[in-house]
Amino acid sequence: MVTTQPQKLTFEEYLAYEDDTENRYELIDGELVLLPPESGINDWIARYLFFSLASSGLIPPPLIAIHTCELQVPVLQPGEAANRYPDLVVLRQEHWELTQKRLTITLEMPPPRLVVEVVSPGKTSRERDYQRKCAQYEATGIPEYWIVDTQQEQVTVLCLEEGRYIEVGVFGQEAAIISPTFAQLKLTVKQIFSSGLG
């Protein structure tokens, strides 16, 4: 019996792909890879950050997306995804019109203002968020990237300067998070990690 290999998709073909489900996929080497559901803790932290940013008055709530905003990113190493779904994205005003049909920010569009990833447990997840996604977001020109580490209970803030991420700080415990993009934001790491049921 002869089997045919499914055709590899370009990113443009992927954008046109429909399977009538709510599934989220990463496009890796032209193939669709189904993303698993978010963990409870990651989802809660993303929702808490949404609440904190929206209630700060610094960002209109429609410009904050959790888990649903897709970013096209450059593939820098073999086997990397050509798209990512960050845990939280702060969009620019012009994205509102550009994403009415699909909440995807392509490389031709201006980059979002801020991207946040909540690190899931495990070595693979840590390497992906701290290294691979970091390099992709840097290459995309995203001006600020937060890594919320649930194991270390700390937040790393990176800021783009001359095309490279520099570390603004690694904030833990009682520390207030310093955001170059949203300098008036008042948020401590403790608030993020003590905001649940515990």
Side-chain angles (χ1 to χ4, degrees):
M1 180 170 135
V2 177
T3 59
T4 57
Q5 191 72 11
Q7 180 181 356
K8 291 186 180 294
L9 300 175
T10 66
F11 197 79
E12 291 70 28
E13 290 169 336
Y14 159 71
L15 290 177
Y17 175 80
E18 287 287 344
D19 65 0
D20 297 321
T21 71
E22 296 295 315
N23 292 337
R24 298 182 310 157
Y25 299 97
E26 285 184 336
L27 184 68
I28 300 177
D29 294 330
E31 297 179 3
L32 299 177
V33 178
L34 180 65
L35 288 173
E38 291 293 334
S39 69
I41 185 69
N42 285 31
D43 182 63
W44 166 246
I45 288 173
R47 287 189 289 126
Y48 182 79
L49 288 172
F50 175 93
F51 170 79
S52 299
L53 292 168
S55 62
S56 72
L58 300 172
I59 308 159
L63 298 182
I64 308 169
I66 57 171
H67 308 308
T68 55
C69 181
E70 177 183 37
L71 306 181
Q72 182 186 13
V73 291
V75 176
L76 304 176
Q77 297 179 34
E80 279 186 337
N83 60 318
R84 299 292 188 183
Y85 288 89
D87 291 302
L88 183 141
V89 178
V90 176
L91 306 169
R92 298 176 186 271
Q93 187 70 43
E94 56 264 44
H95 290 138
W96 184 249
E97 291 299 324
L98 295 170
T99 59
Q100 287 302 300
K101 290 186 178 178
R102 180 182 176 128
L103 190 52
T104 299
I105 300 175
T106 65
L107 293 172
E108 290 75 34
M109 299 179 189
R113 300 176 74 192
L114 169 68
V115 163
V116 179
E117 293 285 4
V118 181
V119 183
S120 298
K123 181 180 177 183
T124 300
S125 180
R126 294 182 69 78
E127 186 269 340
R128 185 170 52 242
D129 289 346
Y130 277 97
Q131 297 176 29
R132 299 181 81 171
K133 287 184 183 179
C134 183
Q136 289 181 305
Y137 295 157
E138 179 184 81
T140 305
I142 297 167
E144 190 167 332
Y145 174 39
W146 293 11
I147 305 169
V148 180
D149 194 319
T150 57
Q151 291 181 296
Q152 302 293 327
E153 293 199 356
Q154 66 187 22
V155 176
T156 301
V157 176
L158 303 171
C159 179
L160 199 66
E161 284 194 11
E162 297 180 357
R164 304 289 299 182
Y165 277 141
I166 62 157
E167 189 178 281
V168 174
V170 179
F171 306 99
Q173 304 301 319
E174 303 291 332
I177 296 169
I178 297 173
S179 168
T181 306
F182 305 105
Q184 295 172 301
L185 181 65
K186 298 189 185 323
L187 180 65
T188 67
V189 174
K190 185 177 181 181
Q191 286 174 295
I192 295 172
F193 291 105
S194 64
S195 59
L197 299 173

